[in-house]
Each structure stands twice: as structure tokens, then as C-alpha cells.
Amino acid sequence: MLKVKLATAIVGISSIHLLQMFVNIQATPRDSLMWGTIIHMAFILSACILAYMAGPMDFHSGDIPPHEAHAPGGGPQLPAQELATAAPEPVAV
């Protein structure tokens, strides 16, 4: 997660710098605006990729216990042992 936090801090700094360039648009050359925007988008893309990869990497490295992992449907997964010992809920008649 430290890499993701660092990447988002870099995106924040880059966005402030890009905003500063656009505020002084009269004094900023057109090429500088183009390259500043391209570099900023590259920072955003790399931060998104790092954030996407952080979830699976944390799960596979053992940082997230399996019982806290989420199922594809969005709900938490129960370990197989808890599923086998869970009593069925009574049905109201």
C-alpha cells in the first residue's frame, strides 16, 4: 500500500503543477502544456495500475487473511470450515 500512497501523492503534486501551468496559460508555451498533460496522465495511469495490482498482491502475499477476502458478488467469503459447521437458519411457518 505504500507504493499506492506514494503514487497518489505524485499525482497530487503533478496536478497542482499542471493547474499552475493552466492558470498562467498566457505565459506557458503550448509544448509545455502538452508535455505536462501527457506526463500527468502517465502518472495517473501508473497509479491506477499500482492500485489495481495492490489488491491481488496483498492477498497472495498473506497480508489479508482469507476470511476477510471478498467474494466476486461483493459479500465476504466464509472459510470452508465455518461453512461446514454453520447451522441452518430456522424457517418461519
Side-chain angles (χ1 to χ4, degrees), residues 82-90:
E82 287 182 29
L83 286 174
T85 60
E89 294 183 23

Side-chain angles (χ1 to χ4, degrees), residues 6 14 21 23 29 32 34 38 54 57 66 77 80 83-85 92:
L6 179 63
S14 174
M21 290 172 69
V23 166
S32 295
M34 180 188 69
I38 290 171
M57 288 189 337
Q77 290 179 343
L83 286 174
T85 60

Side-chain angles (χ1 to χ4, degrees), residues 1-9 47 50-59 61 63-64:
M1 287 306 281
L2 186 61
K3 291 178 187 178
V4 176
K5 288 181 182 180
L6 179 63
T8 53
L50 278 173
Y52 176 75
M53 291 175 58
M57 288 189 337
D58 285 344
F59 179 72
S61 67
D63 292 341
I64 300 174

Side-chain angles (χ1 to χ4, degrees), residues 2-79:
L2 186 61
K3 291 178 187 178
V4 176
K5 288 181 182 180
L6 179 63
T8 53
I10 290 172
V11 168
I13 293 168
S14 174
S15 59
I16 290 170
H17 181 70
L18 190 62
L19 178 63
Q20 189 177 28
M21 290 172 69
F22 276 102
V23 166
N24 297 326
I25 199 162
Q26 301 295 335
T28 307
R30 194 175 170 113
D31 289 341
S32 295
L33 286 174
M34 180 188 69
W35 283 109
T37 305
I38 290 171
I39 291 170
H40 180 68
M41 295 307 269
F43 286 148
I44 290 174
L45 180 66
S46 65
C48 289
I49 291 170
L50 278 173
Y52 176 75
M53 291 175 58
M57 288 189 337
D58 285 344
F59 179 72
H60 290 298
S61 67
D63 292 341
I64 300 174
H67 64 277
E68 291 181 10
H70 292 287
Q77 290 179 343
L78 292 176

